[in-house]
Each structure stands twice: as C-alpha cells, then as structure tokens.
Amino acid sequence: MSATIATAERPWVQEMIVVHRVFRRESQNLHDLIGAVRPGDTARAARLAGLAREYIEGLHGHHTSEDELLWPKLLARVDLDAELVLRMEQQHQTVDAGLQEVQRGLDAWERSPAEPERDALVAALARHRRDLLLHLDEEERQVLPLIHEHITAAEWAELGEHARTKTPKDKLLFMLGALLEDATPEERTRFLALLPLPARVLWKLVGKRSYDKQMREIRNP
C-alpha cells in the first residue's frame, strides 16, 4: 500500500457527504411527491418528470466523475482494498441500471399519468433508493477514509471541477441551492468560499430566493 499523503494536502472529504445528502433527500422526495400525484394531472406529472430527469442526470454525472477520476487512482494506490473499490464500481452499475428503469417509468408516466404508470414508477424509485443508500452508506463508511489518506487535495478539486463542468450553466445556482439546503453553517461557508466573488453575490441577490421559490412550488403545490 502506498504511503499516505502529507496532512496539508489531504482533501475535505466532508464535501462528498454534503453531495450525497442531496441525493438521499431528493430520492425520497421524488418517491413521495410522485406517489401523491392525482391520476390525470398532466401538468404536475410533467413538472416532476422534469425534476426527476435533472436528478438522474446529476447522479449519473456524479458517478461518472468518480469512475473516471477517482477509482483508477485508488486502485493504483490501495492494493489491499482493491476489492472494495471494485465493489464501488459494481454498485455504480447497479444504481445506473435502476436509473434506467426509473427513466423508462418516467417516460411512460408522463405520456399517460394514470394510476398504474404512477405506481410502477414509484416502485422503481423505491428500488433505486434502496440500491443508492446501500452504495452511499458503504462509500461514506469505508471509501472516504481511503480518499482522505491516498488522494491529494488537488486531485479532489479536479473531481469537483469535473462534476461542475457537467452541470449546465443555467442550473449551477439551483445545484448550489440543493447543496446548501441541509448544509451546516461550516459546510455552507466552505462551499461558498469555493465560488468567485461575482457568483457569491449572485447567489445572495438572486440564487437563494429563486431556489427557495422553486422548492416551495414543487413540494407544496
């Protein structure tokens, strides 16, 4: 096993927990909100289907970034834990298959927002969330300590930047709002410090208010 990196170069792995918190929250919200849609409510179905597709795209991008930039580095540096890293890759494949099932259910429900299509989608979302939580729990418990020990702060920053480049520019403030929604004061301060000054000002003047308004409309129709 490789030597640990210098303490000053270690990444802030709590960032991953904050990101995971979004997927934990929204996977439950989508399940509950879609399950509450009345049959035939095409407008509500279209609104939630769009939100669900953004969730799918965000989770897929998060996992793709790890597959491309994180797992290869860990496999090269943590020989004794290779089985764990390979299991993370396999879990990504399982979650991806579940997302594809959810996507098919979304397409069917949006075309015909009837009770059978809605209930089939809700069941797919429940299966997806089960697989997702299994993966996130193990990753946080067993992989984050390896990242802290074997990945440099610069490599960690590259991972975050890769994920941001996959986010459409018109969704960046929305994603920031999702990250900050359940963040602690310390986490919020650290995330905002990563932004350039114009972006912080934009968030304060426009972004937070816009995000809160969208969430009220989505969660309290």
Coordinates of all heavy atoms in Angstrom, one line a residue, residues 37-82:
V37 N -49.3 12.3 -6.7 CA -49.9 13.0 -7.9 C -51.2 12.3 -8.3 O -51.3 11.1 -8.4 CB -48.9 13.0 -9.1 CG1 -49.6 13.6 -10.3 CG2 -47.7 13.8 -8.8
R38 N -52.2 13.1 -8.4 CA -53.5 12.5 -8.8 C -53.5 12.0 -10.2 O -52.9 12.7 -11.1 CB -54.6 13.6 -8.7 CG -54.9 14.1 -7.3 CD -56.0 15.1 -7.2 NE -55.8 16.2 -8.1 CZ -55.1 17.3 -7.8 NH1 -54.6 17.4 -6.6 NH2 -55.0 18.3 -8.6
P39 N -54.1 10.9 -10.5 CA -54.2 10.4 -11.9 C -54.8 11.4 -12.8 O -55.8 12.1 -12.5 CB -55.1 9.2 -11.8 CG -54.9 8.7 -10.4 CD -54.8 9.9 -9.6
G40 N -54.1 11.6 -14.0 CA -54.6 12.6 -15.0 C -54.1 14.0 -14.8 O -54.3 14.8 -15.7
D41 N -53.3 14.2 -13.8 CA -52.7 15.6 -13.6 C -51.5 15.7 -14.4 O -50.3 15.6 -14.0 CB -52.4 15.8 -12.1 CG -52.0 17.3 -11.8 OD1 -51.7 18.0 -12.7 OD2 -52.1 17.6 -10.6
T42 N -51.7 16.0 -15.7 CA -50.6 16.1 -16.7 C -49.6 17.2 -16.4 O -48.4 17.0 -16.6 CB -51.1 16.3 -18.1 OG1 -51.9 17.4 -18.1 CG2 -51.9 15.1 -18.5
A43 N -50.0 18.3 -15.9 CA -49.1 19.4 -15.6 C -48.2 19.1 -14.5 O -47.0 19.3 -14.5 CB -49.9 20.7 -15.3
R44 N -48.7 18.5 -13.4 CA -47.9 18.1 -12.2 C -46.9 17.0 -12.6 O -45.8 17.0 -12.2 CB -48.8 17.6 -11.1 CG -48.1 17.2 -9.8 CD -47.4 18.4 -9.1 NE -46.9 18.0 -7.8 CZ -46.0 18.7 -7.2 NH1 -45.5 19.8 -7.7 NH2 -45.6 18.3 -6.0
A45 N -47.4 16.0 -13.4 CA -46.6 14.9 -13.9 C -45.4 15.5 -14.7 O -44.2 15.0 -14.5 CB -47.4 14.0 -14.7
A46 N -45.7 16.4 -15.6 CA -44.6 17.0 -16.4 C -43.6 17.7 -15.6 O -42.4 17.6 -15.8 CB -45.2 17.9 -17.5
R47 N -44.0 18.5 -14.6 CA -43.1 19.2 -13.7 C -42.2 18.3 -12.9 O -41.0 18.5 -12.8 CB -44.0 20.1 -12.7 CG -43.1 20.9 -11.8 CD -42.5 22.1 -12.5 NE -41.6 22.9 -11.7 CZ -42.0 23.9 -10.9 NH1 -43.3 24.3 -10.9 NH2 -41.2 24.6 -10.2
L48 N -42.8 17.2 -12.3 CA -42.0 16.3 -11.5 C -41.1 15.4 -12.4 O -40.0 15.1 -12.0 CB -42.9 15.5 -10.6 CG -43.6 16.2 -9.5 CD1 -44.5 15.3 -8.7 CD2 -42.6 16.9 -8.6
A49 N -41.6 15.1 -13.6 CA -40.8 14.3 -14.5 C -39.5 15.1 -14.9 O -38.4 14.5 -15.0 CB -41.6 13.9 -15.8
G50 N -39.7 16.4 -15.1 CA -38.5 17.2 -15.5 C -37.5 17.3 -14.3 O -36.3 17.2 -14.5
L51 N -38.1 17.4 -13.1 CA -37.2 17.4 -11.9 C -36.5 16.1 -11.7 O -35.3 16.0 -11.4 CB -38.0 17.7 -10.7 CG -37.3 17.9 -9.4 CD1 -36.4 19.2 -9.4 CD2 -38.2 17.9 -8.2
A52 N -37.2 15.0 -12.0 CA -36.6 13.7 -11.8 C -35.5 13.5 -12.9 O -34.4 12.9 -12.6 CB -37.7 12.6 -12.0
R53 N -35.7 14.0 -14.1 CA -34.6 13.8 -15.1 C -33.4 14.6 -14.7 O -32.2 14.2 -15.0 CB -35.1 14.2 -16.4 CG -36.2 13.3 -17.0 CD -36.5 13.6 -18.4 NE -37.5 12.6 -18.9 CZ -38.8 12.8 -18.9 NH1 -39.3 13.9 -18.6 NH2 -39.7 11.8 -19.3
E54 N -33.5 15.8 -14.1 CA -32.4 16.5 -13.6 C -31.7 15.8 -12.5 O -30.4 15.8 -12.4 CB -32.8 17.9 -13.1 CG -33.3 18.8 -14.2 CD -33.8 20.2 -13.7 OE1 -33.7 20.4 -12.5 OE2 -34.2 21.0 -14.5
Y55 N -32.4 15.1 -11.6 CA -31.9 14.3 -10.6 C -31.0 13.1 -11.2 O -29.9 12.9 -10.8 CB -33.0 13.7 -9.7 CG -32.6 12.6 -8.8 CD1 -32.0 12.8 -7.6 CD2 -32.7 11.3 -9.2 CE1 -31.6 11.8 -6.7 CE2 -32.3 10.2 -8.4 CZ -31.8 10.5 -7.2 OH -31.4 9.4 -6.4
I56 N -31.6 12.5 -12.2 CA -30.9 11.3 -12.8 C -29.6 11.8 -13.5 O -28.6 11.2 -13.3 CB -31.9 10.7 -13.9 CG1 -33.0 10.0 -13.2 CG2 -31.1 9.8 -14.8 CD1 -34.1 9.5 -14.2
E57 N -29.7 12.9 -14.2 CA -28.5 13.5 -14.8 C -27.5 13.9 -13.8 O -26.3 13.6 -14.0 CB -28.9 14.7 -15.7 CG -27.8 15.3 -16.5 CD -28.2 16.4 -17.4 OE1 -29.4 16.7 -17.4 OE2 -27.3 17.1 -18.0
G58 N -27.9 14.5 -12.7 CA -26.9 14.8 -11.7 C -26.3 13.7 -11.0 O -25.0 13.7 -10.8
L59 N -27.0 12.6 -10.7 CA -26.4 11.4 -10.1 C -25.5 10.7 -11.1 O -24.5 10.2 -10.7 CB -27.6 10.5 -9.6 CG -27.1 9.2 -8.9 CD1 -26.2 9.5 -7.7 CD2 -28.3 8.5 -8.4
H60 N -26.0 10.6 -12.3 CA -25.1 9.9 -13.3 C -23.8 10.7 -13.5 O -22.7 10.1 -13.6 CB -25.9 9.9 -14.6 CG -25.1 9.2 -15.7 ND1 -24.9 7.9 -15.8 CD2 -24.5 9.7 -16.8 CE1 -24.1 7.6 -16.8 NE2 -23.9 8.7 -17.5
G61 N -23.9 12.0 -13.5 CA -22.6 12.8 -13.7 C -21.7 12.6 -12.5 O -20.5 12.5 -12.6
H62 N -22.3 12.6 -11.3 CA -21.5 12.4 -10.0 C -20.8 11.0 -10.1 O -19.6 11.0 -9.8 CB -22.5 12.4 -8.8 CG -21.8 12.1 -7.5 ND1 -20.9 12.9 -6.9 CD2 -22.0 11.0 -6.7 CE1 -20.5 12.4 -5.8 NE2 -21.1 11.2 -5.6
H63 N -21.5 10.0 -10.5 CA -20.8 8.7 -10.5 C -19.8 8.6 -11.7 O -18.8 7.9 -11.6 CB -21.9 7.6 -10.7 CG -22.6 7.3 -9.4 ND1 -23.7 6.5 -9.3 CD2 -22.3 7.7 -8.1 CE1 -24.1 6.4 -8.0 NE2 -23.3 7.1 -7.3
T64 N -20.1 9.2 -12.8 CA -19.2 9.2 -13.9 C -17.9 9.9 -13.6 O -16.8 9.4 -13.9 CB -19.8 9.9 -15.2 OG1 -21.0 9.2 -15.6 CG2 -18.8 9.9 -16.3
S65 N -18.0 11.0 -12.8 CA -16.7 11.6 -12.4 C -15.9 10.7 -11.5 O -14.7 10.7 -11.6 CB -17.1 12.9 -11.6 OG -17.8 13.9 -12.4
E66 N -16.6 10.0 -10.6 CA -15.8 9.1 -9.7 C -15.2 7.9 -10.6 O -14.1 7.5 -10.3 CB -16.8 8.5 -8.7 CG -17.2 9.5 -7.6 CD -18.2 8.9 -6.6 OE1 -18.8 7.8 -6.9 OE2 -18.3 9.5 -5.5
D67 N -16.0 7.4 -11.5 CA -15.5 6.3 -12.3 C -14.2 6.7 -13.1 O -13.3 5.9 -13.3 CB -16.6 5.8 -13.3 CG -17.7 5.2 -12.6 OD1 -17.6 4.7 -11.5 OD2 -18.8 5.1 -13.2
E68 N -14.3 7.9 -13.6 CA -13.2 8.4 -14.5 C -11.9 8.9 -13.7 O -10.8 8.7 -14.2 CB -13.7 9.5 -15.4 CG -14.7 9.0 -16.4 CD -15.2 10.1 -17.3 OE1 -14.8 11.3 -17.2 OE2 -16.1 9.8 -18.2
L69 N -12.2 9.6 -12.6 CA -11.1 10.3 -11.9 C -10.7 9.7 -10.5 O -9.6 10.0 -10.1 CB -11.4 11.7 -11.8 CG -11.6 12.5 -13.1 CD1 -12.1 13.9 -12.8 CD2 -10.4 12.5 -13.9
L70 N -11.6 9.0 -9.9 CA -11.3 8.6 -8.5 C -10.9 7.1 -8.4 O -9.9 6.8 -7.9 CB -12.5 8.8 -7.7 CG -12.4 8.5 -6.2 CD1 -11.2 9.3 -5.6 CD2 -13.7 8.9 -5.4
W71 N -11.8 6.2 -8.9 CA -11.5 4.8 -8.8 C -10.1 4.3 -9.4 O -9.4 3.6 -8.7 CB -12.6 3.9 -9.4 CG -14.0 4.2 -8.9 CD1 -15.1 4.2 -9.6 CD2 -14.4 4.6 -7.5 NE1 -16.2 4.6 -8.8 CE2 -15.8 4.8 -7.5 CE3 -13.7 4.7 -6.3 CZ2 -16.5 5.1 -6.4 CZ3 -14.4 5.0 -5.2 CH2 -15.8 5.2 -5.2
P72 N -9.8 4.8 -10.6 CA -8.5 4.4 -11.1 C -7.3 4.8 -10.2 O -6.3 4.0 -10.0 CB -8.4 5.1 -12.5 CG -9.8 5.3 -12.9 CD -10.5 5.6 -11.6
K73 N -7.4 6.0 -9.6 CA -6.3 6.4 -8.7 C -6.2 5.5 -7.5 O -5.2 5.1 -7.0 CB -6.4 7.9 -8.3 CG -6.2 8.8 -9.5 CD -6.4 10.3 -9.0 CE -6.1 11.3 -10.1 NZ -7.2 11.2 -11.2
L74 N -7.4 5.3 -6.9 CA -7.4 4.4 -5.7 C -7.0 3.0 -6.0 O -6.2 2.4 -5.2 CB -8.8 4.4 -5.1 CG -9.3 5.6 -4.3 CD1 -10.7 5.5 -3.8 CD2 -8.3 5.9 -3.1
L75 N -7.4 2.4 -7.1 CA -6.9 1.1 -7.4 C -5.4 1.0 -7.6 O -4.8 0.0 -7.2 CB -7.6 0.6 -8.7 CG -9.0 0.1 -8.6 CD1 -9.6 -0.1 -10.0 CD2 -9.1 -1.2 -7.8
A76 N -4.8 2.1 -8.0 CA -3.4 2.1 -8.2 C -2.6 2.3 -6.9 O -1.4 2.0 -6.8 CB -3.0 3.2 -9.2
R77 N -3.3 2.7 -5.8 CA -2.6 3.1 -4.6 C -3.0 2.3 -3.4 O -2.4 2.3 -2.3 CB -2.9 4.6 -4.3 CG -2.4 5.5 -5.4 CD -2.9 6.9 -5.2 NE -2.6 7.7 -6.4 CZ -2.9 9.0 -6.5 NH1 -3.5 9.6 -5.5 NH2 -2.7 9.6 -7.7
V78 N -4.1 1.5 -3.4 CA -4.6 0.8 -2.2 C -4.8 -0.7 -2.6 O -5.9 -1.2 -2.5 CB -5.9 1.5 -1.7 CG1 -5.6 2.8 -1.1 CG2 -7.0 1.5 -2.8
D79 N -3.7 -1.3 -2.8 CA -3.8 -2.7 -3.3 C -4.6 -3.6 -2.3 O -5.3 -4.5 -2.8 CB -2.3 -3.3 -3.3 CG -1.5 -2.6 -4.4 OD1 -2.1 -2.0 -5.3 OD2 -0.3 -2.7 -4.3
L80 N -4.5 -3.4 -1.0 CA -5.2 -4.3 -0.1 C -6.7 -4.0 -0.1 O -7.4 -4.8 0.4 CB -4.6 -4.1 1.3 CG -3.1 -4.4 1.5 CD1 -2.7 -4.2 3.0 CD2 -2.9 -5.9 1.1
D81 N -7.1 -2.9 -0.6 CA -8.5 -2.6 -0.6 C -9.1 -2.6 -2.0 O -10.2 -2.0 -2.3 CB -8.7 -1.2 0.0 CG -8.3 -1.1 1.5 OD1 -9.0 -1.7 2.3 OD2 -7.2 -0.6 1.7
A82 N -8.4 -3.3 -2.9 CA -8.9 -3.3 -4.3 C -10.3 -3.9 -4.5 O -11.1 -3.4 -5.2 CB -7.9 -4.1 -5.2

